[in-house]
Amino acid sequence: MKLLPWQFHEVNNNFLITNESGSFFYCKENTLNKLINKDIDPVLGSFLKTKNFLSEDVNDKYWNNYLFNLYKRKSTSKKINYMILIPTLRCNLKCSYCQVSRVDIDKSGYDWGDNELFNFEKFIIDNDIDNIKIEFQGGEPSLVPYTLKKIVNIVEKNTTSCEFVICSNLSYLNKELLELYEKDNFYISTSLDGKLENHQTQRTENLKETNQFFENFNFIIKNFGVHKISALPTITEFNKIDEIIDEYISHGFNTIFLRPVNYQGFARKQFKKNAFDFQEWNKAYIKALNYIFDFNFNNEHKIKEYNFENALKRIFHVGTNGYIDLRSPNIYGKDFIVIDHDGKFYPSDESRMMTRIGLIDLNIGSLENGFDSQKLNNMNLNNFNEIDPDCIHCAYQQFCGIDNIDSISRYGTTDIPTHDKYFCKTNMFYFDTIFEKIFSKNPKDLFNINGFLTDIFTTQNHFSNIFYYD
């Protein structure tokens, strides 16, 4: 018999045992000692086989099941299936936490033109892109609806399946935009930072702009349904999270993405303390998550928190690799790309922002010249948590990811111990929270975990038991 490689982590005074395939179970210290000493009795051996920790021989069903799950966790699409496009960098607002370093609305030279559109269509055709999701960001992309329509036409003409999302501040709602919004494959993402006063303070600055936002926001929900629009807050005042959640519930939303200010763009100066204070954020987050759990347990309407839901699915749904912050390898330029207002390629939106402020040039090519293969290969050399000296000993390594761009943004280098990084400390906290709740046997926690995973909110007391060895 062969005991497959494993890691452990203390959770709730017992021990979480995991392996690279994503299998896990929970045990007491005496079982941990048996694993360390390879003292495997028949009962424990039988349990370990069912959990993909033990095989009888190479190529038996237990070994192959382990390898299959390992492959599914590591593999991603071999073709680009998600693109962020920046048709303009101009914006009509001056949000306090702007992470993009937008330019004023009357600036010239910051929009896609005929050259970018021509090269974009050529890029779609030459790379045989299909089954694609495209997200329009900015700046404010609703300033150039004519360009959006041209891009949509190019993509629909050259693909068999496509979907579009416009990230908009909803200042504008004209005939051309409504024609796009009426399409079944076109959706809206916007920012809603809480009640009117808070939203105005952080984004719109004056009552006229604020009222225009809420008028357009409510028009979309009334005429297209809440499914047409998604919203997310940027949280600068942690003590207001509960009222932000209430605001989302009042509009009928079923999801909310709780996130602090990203350390990018203009926000680097305005909210520098928030961007590094992971302890205050973690305290605020767990309070807010418990607030959501309480609400769901006591009300017919349900709302999910995106971080918790995504990390849960990363644990339980083998092959959930779409969220690039939580995957490894995280190969740039493979299935995801950002194309800026000038046609330059970036591996992520954060890398575009960092280049914009002059911190470091992370462009990896352009529509005109294609990918810079040498630069791309150099950037991908260390995009594996499987080779990180901290990560290889971590029980969460197979569920987590790697984000060297965030490290460069916050510290100016990737060459610091991973356990000291904001990315690691935050995700360790998220995964600790999840496993503490899985094994708590608290009916309210189990009720929400089931709902977040399956959309069926119910209490199943056996949920924790199937992962527990005593």
Side-chain angles (χ1 to χ4, degrees):
M1 290 193 299
K2 178 178 177 59
L3 184 62
L4 300 170
W6 55 278
Q7 302 98 350
F8 71 94
H9 182 66
E10 187 173 351
V11 178
N12 287 356
N13 299 317
N14 285 317
F15 295 92
L16 172 70
I17 312 297
T18 69
N19 67 24
E20 277 193 297
S21 76
S23 298
F24 69 90
F25 67 93
Y26 192 54
C27 67
K28 295 185 181 298
E29 187 173 3
N30 64 323
T31 302
L32 173 65
N33 289 330
K34 286 184 178 181
L35 290 172
I36 292 171
N37 296 317
K38 296 185 179 180
D39 180 17
I40 312 297
D41 59 61
V43 176
L44 177 57
S46 178
F47 176 85
L48 292 173
K49 287 178 186 176
T50 65
K51 299 300 179 189
N52 295 324
F53 281 86
L54 190 71
S55 68
E56 294 178 348
D57 195 7
V58 174
N59 287 328
D60 68 8
K61 62 180 180 180
Y62 307 109
W63 173 257
N64 284 316
N65 197 40
Y66 169 84
L67 288 183
F68 176 78
N69 288 336
L70 179 61
Y71 168 77
K72 291 286 286 183
R73 286 196 173 274
K74 305 297 183 185
S75 64
T76 55
S77 173
K78 294 179 173 61
K79 293 171 62 175
I80 294 173
N81 56 29
Y82 199 111
M83 286 192 281
I84 290 178
L85 308 184
I86 320 298
T88 181
L89 202 60
R90 296 180 297 117
C91 188
N92 61 306
L93 298 183
K94 297 179 180 179
C95 301
S96 64
Y97 53 70
C98 181
Q99 295 148 41
V100 184
S101 295
R102 56 38 204 153
V103 298
D104 291 341
I105 191 171
D106 58 354
K107 293 282 188 180
S108 60
Y110 292 93
D111 296 355
W112 272 34
D114 291 341
N115 189 53
E116 283 76 25
L117 289 166
F118 175 83
N119 286 328
F120 175 71
E121 182 164 20
K122 187 174 185 299
F123 179 76
I124 293 283
I125 296 169
D126 289 350
N127 289 275
D128 195 27
I129 290 174
D130 203 359
N131 301 311
I132 185 74
K133 183 172 183 178
I134 289 181
E135 183 176 315
F136 297 112
Q137 289 197 20
E140 174 49 46
S142 67
L143 289 171
V144 289
Y146 42 87
T147 302
L148 302 185
K149 293 179 84 169
K150 289 179 180 178
I151 293 172
V152 169
N153 289 337
I154 287 171
V155 175
E156 290 185 335
K157 183 176 69 173
N158 292 288
T159 64
T160 57
S161 174
C162 54
E163 184 177 296
F164 304 91
V165 179
I166 180 172
C167 298
S168 171
N169 60 36
L170 290 184
S171 294
Y172 307 102
L173 202 58
N174 54 40
K175 180 183 176 182
E176 287 181 298
L177 288 170
L178 287 173
E179 287 176 356
L180 289 170
Y181 298 166
E182 287 169 355
K183 296 173 69 68
D184 290 339
N185 63 343
F186 203 103
Y187 298 91
I188 304 164
S189 176
T190 193
S191 293
L192 174 63
D193 286 346
K195 297 183 182 299
L196 185 148
E197 297 80 8
N198 197 55
H199 189 85
Q200 181 171 313
T201 298
Q202 295 196 164
R203 293 184 60 80
T204 47
E205 291 188 319
N206 64 70
L207 187 57
K208 181 182 178 181
E209 292 277 6
T210 309
N211 286 336
Q212 186 66 65
F213 164 79
F214 279 101
E215 181 182 326
N216 292 342
F217 179 78
N218 290 323
F219 177 90
I220 294 294
I221 293 176
K222 179 181 178 181
N223 290 275
F224 295 95
V226 74
H227 71 280
K228 174 63 77 170
I229 189 168
S230 62
L232 67 163
T234 297
I235 299 167
T236 60
E237 297 181 66
F238 296 166
N239 62 341
K240 291 187 176 181
I241 297 182
D242 289 359
E243 69 176 52
I244 293 173
I245 295 169
D246 289 340
E247 183 71 10
Y248 274 65
I249 292 169
S250 74
H251 290 288
F253 284 112
N254 299 111
T255 60
I256 186 169
F257 186 0
L258 299 179
R259 56 174 196 162
V261 175
N262 197 350
Y263 189 56
Q264 301 289 351
F266 295 122
R268 293 173 72 90
K269 292 182 178 179
Q270 186 80 359
F271 298 100
K272 184 172 183 178
K273 180 180 183 297
N274 297 44
F276 289 90
D277 198 348
F278 70 93
Q279 291 179 327
E280 285 301 311
W281 169 249
N282 289 353
K283 285 192 294 184
Y285 177 82
I286 193 65
K287 180 176 178 290
L289 186 66
N290 287 332
Y291 184 82
I292 289 172
F293 276 26
D294 285 337
F295 176 86
N296 289 341
F297 198 62
N298 295 299
N299 293 275
E300 185 175 344
H301 182 89
K302 312 298 182 192
I303 186 166
K304 300 178 184 178
E305 198 285 312
Y306 180 82
N307 282 309
F308 193 88
E309 179 185 18
N310 194 58
L312 260 183
K313 289 181 176 179
R314 184 79 174 118
I315 294 167
F316 285 95
H317 294 178
V318 178
T320 300
N321 300 319
Y323 187 52
I324 63 173
D325 285 1
L326 290 184
R327 69 181 189 188
S328 178
N330 187 17
I331 305 301
Y332 296 145
K334 184 181 180 185
D335 61 339
F336 171 76
I337 189 175
V338 179
I339 307 179
D340 206 358
H341 69 93
D342 55 3
K344 288 184 178 179
F345 295 161
Y346 292 94
S348 71
D349 211 26
E350 288 76 14
S351 61
R352 168 178 76 102
M353 298 170 190
M354 289 165 61
T355 304
R356 170 76 183 143
I357 65 171
L359 182 65
I360 185 174
D361 184 1
L362 292 174
N363 88 79
I364 53 172
S366 68
L367 284 172
E368 189 167 1
N369 299 314
F371 285 104
D372 183 336
S373 299
Q374 185 62 53
K375 190 171 184 179
L376 198 52
N377 289 339
N378 290 339
M379 291 176 68
N380 281 326
L381 280 175
N382 295 311
N383 271 4
F384 303 79
N385 68 19
E386 291 85 353
I387 60 174
D388 185 281
D390 280 347
C391 296
I392 60 174
H393 300 295
C394 179
Y396 301 145
Q397 176 255 327
Q398 56 278 359
F399 311 127
C400 197
I402 189 163
D403 193 347
N404 286 319
I405 289 174
D406 185 71
S407 298
I408 295 170
S409 174
R410 293 179 193 274
Y411 314 110
T413 180
T414 62
D415 193 23
I416 62 173
T418 296
H419 65 266
D420 287 333
K421 296 177 181 178
Y422 182 96
F423 178 86
C424 178
K425 291 176 180 178
T426 303
N427 283 306
M428 283 291 294
F429 170 77
Y430 288 151
F431 285 117
D432 279 345
T433 299
I434 286 174
F435 281 105
E436 285 168 6
K437 289 186 176 296
I438 288 173
F439 298 123
S440 71
K441 298 189 178 181
N442 181 312
K444 183 167 52 181
D445 290 342
L446 298 180
F447 177 86
N448 278 279
I449 289 169
N450 280 309
F452 276 49
L453 278 172
T454 67
D455 288 327
I456 301 172
F457 286 82
T458 181
T459 301
Q460 296 178 333
N461 290 324
H462 70 275
F463 185 91
S464 298
N465 296 335
I466 62 175
F467 298 106
Y468 186 72
Y469 182 82
D470 188 0

